[in-house]
Amino acid sequence: MDFGKAYRAFLDQSKTERECAAETIRRAEAAGYRNLNDVEALHAGDRVYVNTMGKAVQLYIIGKAPLEEGINIIGAHIDSPRMDLKQNPLYEDTDLAYLDTHYYGGIKKYQWVTLPLALHGVVAKKDGTIIPIVIGEDEADPVIGISDLLIHLSQQQLDKKGSVVIEGEDLDVIVGGKPLKDAEKEPVKTAILAILNEKYGIEEEDFLSAEIEVVPAGKSRDFGLDRSMILGYGHDDRVCAFAQIEAMLNIAQTPDVTCCCLLADKEEIGSVGATGMRAHYFENAMAEILDKCGVYSELKLRRALSNSRMLSCDVSAGYDPSYASVFEKRNAAYLGRGVCFNKYTGSRGKSGSNDANAEYVGKLRAIMDDNKICFQTAELGKVDVGGGGTIAYICALYGMNVIDSGVAVLSMHAPWEIISKADLYEAFKAYHAFLLHA
Ligand code: MN
Ligand code: MN
């Protein structure tokens, strides 16, 4: 229960990848981690972090063993499904002002209407100034949102397929309805621009160099009359990210093996781009660390990577009795039964999956049992019902052992997702034990 409370505080501060990265670095610095760029030489026991464009973070604790023998890595992603503002988002239509969006990641679009929504992000001015924006979280703030058709006129809409009941271009957010007196044209839009200019000093053109995300407004909540669960936005995958960060920050000693906590961006759109896991920031950081430990060579770097062990920490589909037909009960993840290992993911015959080695799974079973950690195993639904992927296969490219392990989620990718506090705590214990014993 206490751990769940701490997680909720973290989650409420981390509604975007940028906010999550900043919060992680704040916590790491408070725990004595230094920016790798500011460190000349590294020794066993040193704690450093790597900040990639403010959207991806790596934490390291240098261990006693030679790096070429491999390190222990836990990796999660800190981006979540949402709607991003377009480059030219603001328009007026029939006395209402709107912000146009392009959704990010896999969403059921009909879930995102008639909800209180908030804006989180940054505006980068031409002079290099970065203006942070958060509107809709403070109790005194207004919220924004997307309308849906009234039931009285919905006969045709309700005959549509679920995937097109609300379409991508329908995800336009209402932001205003009050005209500016004496404005020559588009008086409602002009009024909104005046408000933005007064509060943030930004102009319409500044949206061109902005990254503003539309997310559900409000805080996470205890869920269930027994408070056993948490309802929150972005459990996928900040629940694993939090368990990882806590696992790292709870290692007081100098570990035998170097520990690494990876927090990647862009997983929800294929791990692409400079901050996605497919970029080379992890490999580059390892090269820097070998160098600052005075042992760098191309061969030692490759050995360090291929000899490493990794838990790819991402959420699992929680078994949902209301939708039992898509699950296979003997190989499903259940809320409250502990951290969940997915030996493989993928779809249609394991396609696209990292399939962890049996020998590695055996070793992990021993670590879990030795440390009295509740774990379960699962795959993502019935064969041929659907599928998905994580960052596991990307790190496996180095030849290291990798397996998916995480927390089961109900309503995954919905604006408000549900996890079990017990699973969160077991994930924390599992990641901590893995870092020290793998
Ligand atoms: Mn995920
Ligand atoms: Mn996801």
Side-chain angles (χ1 to χ4, degrees):
M1 289 295 172
D2 292 341
F3 200 78
K5 193 173 171 192
Y7 168 54
R8 280 180 46 198
F10 171 85
L11 193 60
D12 294 339
Q13 286 299 316
S14 308
K15 291 184 108 167
T16 66
E17 59 280 16
R18 282 179 189 267
E19 290 173 2
C20 192
E23 180 65 18
T24 302
I25 290 170
R26 189 152 52 236
R27 285 166 186 246
E29 285 182 335
Y33 284 70
R34 290 173 298 160
N35 191 321
L36 181 63
N37 292 335
D38 300 335
V39 177
E40 288 285 320
L42 284 170
H43 307 94
D46 284 350
R47 284 154 168 78
V48 289
Y49 68 84
V50 177
N51 175 354
T52 303
M53 297 182 179
K55 297 177 185 174
V57 181
Q58 304 167 61
L59 309 178
Y60 291 87
I61 307 173
I62 309 303
K64 297 172 197 158
L67 286 161
E68 63 183 304
E69 291 175 13
I71 70 171
N72 292 340
I73 306 160
I74 47 180
H77 67 92
I78 55 175
D79 60 317
S80 296
R82 65 193 186 239
M83 294 165 288
D84 289 341
L85 294 195
K86 290 185 179 181
Q87 300 305 106
N88 288 303
L90 186 61
Y91 70 92
E92 175 172 339
D93 189 349
T94 328
D95 304 341
L96 291 172
Y98 288 87
L99 286 170
D100 198 354
T101 69
H102 192 144
Y103 67 97
Y104 172 98
I107 62 170
K108 289 176 160 182
K109 295 164 197 113
Y110 65 78
Q111 293 176 333
W112 293 73
V113 298
T114 71
L115 287 174
L117 299 173
L119 294 173
H120 289 241
V122 296
V123 176
K125 303 274 283 184
K126 280 201 290 184
D127 66 2
T129 317
I130 304 296
I131 301 166
I133 300 216
V134 179
I135 307 172
E137 299 296 346
D138 192 279
E139 282 294 309
D141 278 358
V143 294
I144 54 177
I146 302 167
S147 62
D148 193 5
L149 188 57
L150 64 166
I151 183 69
H152 315 69
L153 301 179
S154 292
Q155 200 171 316
Q156 286 180 345
Q157 185 199 37
L158 292 176
D159 285 338
K160 289 182 182 175
K161 275 176 63 182
S163 58
V164 293
V165 167
I166 300 290
E167 298 191 51
E169 282 297 351
D170 298 334
L171 296 176
D172 293 6
V173 186
I174 300 172
V175 293
K178 183 173 148 190
L180 189 71
K181 198 181 176 195
D182 300 329
E184 281 180 14
K185 54 173 189 163
E186 300 185 308
V188 181
K189 171 181 164 176
T190 307
I192 293 295
L193 281 171
I195 291 167
L196 291 175
N197 188 265
E198 190 192 353
K199 191 163 179 201
Y200 297 103
I202 57 176
E203 292 164 10
E204 184 167 17
E205 295 75 39
D206 292 327
F207 280 117
L208 292 175
S209 49
E211 285 178 349
I212 300 177
E213 307 181 8
V214 184
V215 301
K219 294 185 171 175
S220 56
R221 304 288 294 267
D222 280 351
F223 189 78
L225 300 182
D226 56 6
R227 299 179 180 270
S228 59
M229 295 166 274
I230 295 172
L231 179 82
Y233 163 66
H235 285 317
D236 178 8
D237 185 30
R238 293 174 197 132
V239 65
C240 294
F242 179 73
Q244 284 189 186
I245 295 161
E246 286 294 304
M248 283 295 278
L249 300 188
N250 275 278
I251 293 174
Q253 70 271 46
T254 298
D256 290 334
V257 176
T258 295
C259 299
C260 168
C261 167
L262 283 175
L263 299 171
D265 181 28
K266 297 285 185 285
E267 191 275 344
E268 296 294 359
I269 58 167
S271 296
V272 290
T275 54
M277 198 63 231
R278 289 203 227 186
H280 294 171
Y281 50 80
F282 164 62
E283 184 181 329
N284 292 345
M286 284 292 287
E288 292 280 358
I289 286 169
L290 282 159
D291 187 52
K292 290 181 179 185
C293 287
V295 295
Y296 175 79
S297 75
E298 173 68 21
L299 183 60
K300 281 184 177 162
L301 172 63
R302 290 195 212 178
R303 283 179 184 156
L305 293 168
S306 67
N307 288 332
S308 289
R309 299 145 295 265
M310 180 177 187
L311 293 182
S312 160
C313 306
D314 206 344
V315 294
S316 264
Y319 179 85
D320 190 335
S322 297
Y323 299 95
S325 66
V326 299
F327 295 94
E328 189 270 283
K329 274 190 138 176
R330 286 182 304 281
N331 292 284
Y334 296 86
L335 259 69
R337 296 192 191 175
V339 63
C340 179
F341 287 89
N342 289 62
K343 185 174 181 296
Y344 46 86
T345 55
S347 56
R348 299 176 306 283
K350 297 187 174 182
S351 183
S353 167
N354 160 68
D355 199 344
N357 274 323
E359 293 87 340
Y360 183 52
V361 183
K363 184 179 169 179
L364 294 173
R365 285 174 57 205
I367 294 172
M368 296 301 116
D369 288 345
D370 290 349
N371 291 279
K372 297 188 168 53
I373 292 156
C374 295
F375 73 96
Q376 51 184 331
T377 61
E379 58 180 276
L380 184 53
K382 270 185 182 167
V383 174
D384 286 343
V385 166
T390 65
I391 62 170
Y393 75 96
I394 301 164
C395 298
L397 290 171
Y398 294 114
M400 68 177 73
N401 271 307
V402 186
I403 188 170
D404 279 300
S405 69
V407 172
V409 176
L410 292 183
S411 309
M412 194 191 296
H413 283 207
W416 297 100
E417 304 172 316
I418 299 161
I419 58 118
S420 151
K421 291 181 184 177
D423 296 337
L424 164 62
Y425 190 60
E426 293 303 311
F428 157 68
K429 281 168 50 188
Y431 302 161
H432 189 262
F434 172 85
L435 288 173
L436 293 179
H437 302 294

